[in-house]
Amino acid sequence: MLTITSLKEKIEFKRNEMIKTGCEYGMNHSKTISISVELDRLINLFLFKKR
């Protein structure tokens, strides 16, 4: 089970990964989009747990 703190850490890591991938491959590359989708999932989970 993920805690709020561990979710924050995962979100920050995924955000940095997306930025790095976007700079290397471009914002429309499938790798960047895949990471963005995972980041969205983590953010949604965080917001749900924060209620």
Side-chain angles (χ1 to χ4, degrees), residues 15-25:
R15 185 180 73 83
N16 289 329
E17 183 183 9
M18 185 183 71
I19 291 168
K20 181 180 174 186
T21 305
C23 288
E24 186 174 342
Y25 295 98

Side-chain angles (χ1 to χ4, degrees), residues 14 17-18 21 30-39:
K14 194 59 71 173
E17 183 183 9
M18 185 183 71
T21 305
S30 61
K31 288 183 182 186
T32 308
I33 292 170
S34 176
I35 294 168
S36 176
V37 168
E38 179 62 20
L39 177 58

Side-chain angles (χ1 to χ4, degrees), residues 4 7 41-51:
I4 294 291
L7 269 172
R41 188 189 70 76
L42 289 170
I43 291 169
N44 287 333
L45 183 58
F46 174 80
L47 292 173
F48 179 77
K49 283 186 172 277
K50 198 172 172 185
R51 287 188 197 174

